[in-house]
Amino acid sequence: MSDWLAALDRRAELRAKAGLTRTLRPRAADDDVVDLAGNDYLGLSAHPAVTAAATAALAGYGLGSTGSRLVRGSTTVHHDLEEDLAGWLGAERALVFSSGYLANVGAIRGLVQPRTLLVSDAHNHASLIDGCRISGAETMVTPHADVDAVRAALAAAPNRPAVVVTESVFSVDGDLAPLAELHAVTRAHGALLLVDDAHGLGVIGPGGAGGVTAAGLAGELDVIVTATLSKALGGAGGVVAGPAEFVRHLVETGRTFVFDTAPPPAVAAGVRAAVGLAWAGDQLRAELGDRVALAVRRLRAAGLTGSVPEGAVVSVTAPGPEAATAWAADCRDRGVAVGCFRPPSTPDSRSRLRLTVNVGVPRADFEWALEVIVECAP
């Protein structure tokens, strides 16, 4: 065997010994597992209005977008979706990307100037971390949700452009960033605030418009919002929303936008239908909040340690990576899918099960799934 392949095998062996092996598990369309692992918080991915909109666009446009947005990939569906997203988020303009990952990388790169300092929360998602790295800018990582540390980082770099980078609802434990306080600090130092609202959009805030809106920051010219379209909206893609000048800058210079194939029109049409449902989905959000509270109560009653989330992510601490893997496998064997987060996917040394609450799951199935998780606990 070639030396480089042998080296990869050795690295795989080391990951296996550490309990860090990852495996692809294809699922069928008629899979009957109770899903507490996916991110379809509002159950919109299979909503009849969503699938009907996608089907109509598929018939009209075909399977793919046929090119990048600046060549032939932009359709009226994409533009209508961007207008709806901007209106929902209270932003001047919104720009759709093919993934939330590329939206984050592109947004951060677009905000960087010579000498820019990026101040990044220690619990930020990998796409934000990679965006900081790819930008080439100096990055200071501050302790999680520590406003004083952010203030100190900005004060130590006077007369430099700076961007504070955070999630709204953090993807690991579901806690909410102190966005209003962070914005006050960034504004006091003439910095910008970039918020990844992936796990907040559709779930929290007036009309489900996310954590930025909930914090009263919608439309602020020094706030940039990013999000995926694959979580509460049940589709795929990403969005960057903010001042019109910044969106124009991304259209003209953003490499992850300019050189990437546009999202398929059918996906954009389905997501647009989902935006309308999520915007008017207060009843769905009330049920979601009730289920989150039920999950926290049930897990705590069983003596399990977990997060008290602001959104719909509930994490439960596992004794270690092997225990987390075995726990998730036991749940799957009994028909319940849960997330299994281990280092290096976690920002600390703790392994967790991550439960993403989904109102598309029948209530009785959801309650049964909680019992299975408790019974399978190590």
Side-chain angles (χ1 to χ4, degrees):
M1 180 181 292
S2 298
D3 289 345
W4 71 278
L5 294 176
L8 293 182
D9 272 347
R10 177 57 180 158
R11 291 163 71 178
E13 291 172 3
L14 293 173
R15 288 195 299 273
K17 288 180 180 179
L20 300 179
T21 296
R22 286 165 169 77
T23 305
L24 294 173
R25 296 184 178 88
R27 62 181 175 90
D30 59 354
D31 177 46
D32 60 358
V33 169
V34 178
D35 184 9
L36 298 185
N39 295 311
D40 189 15
Y41 297 126
L42 301 180
L44 297 181
S45 65
H47 191 285
V50 172
T51 56
T55 299
L58 181 65
Y61 285 101
L63 179 61
S65 59
T66 77
S68 67
R69 293 288 304 276
L70 290 172
V71 180
R72 287 283 291 171
S74 284
T75 67
T76 56
V77 175
H78 293 92
H79 285 259
D80 290 345
L81 172 59
E82 287 166 344
E83 288 186 1
D84 287 357
L85 287 167
W88 191 22
L89 295 169
E92 287 186 351
R93 283 190 65 185
L95 188 65
V96 167
F97 289 67
S98 63
S99 74
Y101 203 107
L102 294 180
N104 275 341
V105 172
I108 292 173
R109 182 66 187 88
L111 291 171
V112 167
Q113 310 171 46
R115 300 180 62 249
T116 292
L117 173 67
L118 299 175
V119 181
S120 178
D121 189 284
H123 282 206
N124 276 343
H125 186 266
S127 58
L128 296 172
I129 295 169
D130 287 353
C132 293
R133 291 172 177 170
I134 291 169
S135 75
E138 179 186 353
T139 301
M140 177 173 291
V141 178
T142 52
H144 178 52
D146 189 332
V147 177
D148 289 338
V150 171
R151 181 183 292 108
L154 295 175
N159 304 316
R160 289 180 61 181
V163 182
V164 175
V165 180
T166 185
E167 297 182 55
S168 60
V169 175
F170 285 90
S171 57
V172 174
D173 287 328
D175 55 317
L176 184 64
L179 294 179
E181 294 87 344
L182 286 173
H183 181 251
V185 168
T186 58
R187 177 163 287 184
H189 288 84
L192 301 175
L193 178 64
L194 183 144
V195 181
D196 179 353
D197 223 345
H199 291 273
L201 187 64
V203 175
I204 63 174
V212 171
T213 299
L217 304 179
E220 295 290 347
L221 296 182
D222 51 359
V223 177
I224 302 297
V225 181
T226 68
T228 63
L229 308 176
S230 59
K231 293 183 171 56
L233 298 177
V239 63
V240 177
E245 295 86 349
F246 181 60
V247 171
R248 179 186 63 198
H249 177 68
L250 293 179
V251 169
E252 295 179 356
T253 70
R255 293 176 67 84
T256 61
F257 177 83
V258 173
F259 297 106
D260 189 42
T261 298
V267 173
V271 170
R272 187 182 181 217
V275 168
L277 293 166
W279 203 336
D282 287 346
Q283 188 171 356
L284 290 173
R285 277 182 287 279
E287 173 65 16
L288 187 66
D290 184 62
R291 292 192 186 194
V292 169
L294 173 62
V296 171
R297 289 196 305 272
R298 182 66 188 91
L299 296 170
R300 282 189 166 183
L304 298 172
T305 302
S307 63
V308 181
E310 298 288 342
V313 176
V314 180
S315 75
V316 191
T317 301
E322 289 101 342
T325 302
W327 191 359
D330 289 345
C331 289
R332 180 177 293 276
D333 289 343
R334 292 189 55 183
V336 178
V338 295
C340 179
F341 277 32
R342 300 157 289 165
S345 296
T346 56
D348 50 30
S349 61
R350 287 193 298 131
S351 295
R352 303 161 170 84
L353 291 195
R354 191 183 76 161
L355 318 182
T356 45
V357 181
N358 177 352
V359 297
V361 173
R363 178 72 180 232
D365 290 349
F366 174 72
E367 294 182 6
W368 171 78
L370 292 179
E371 296 305 314
V372 169
I373 292 165
V374 168
E375 291 169 6
C376 292

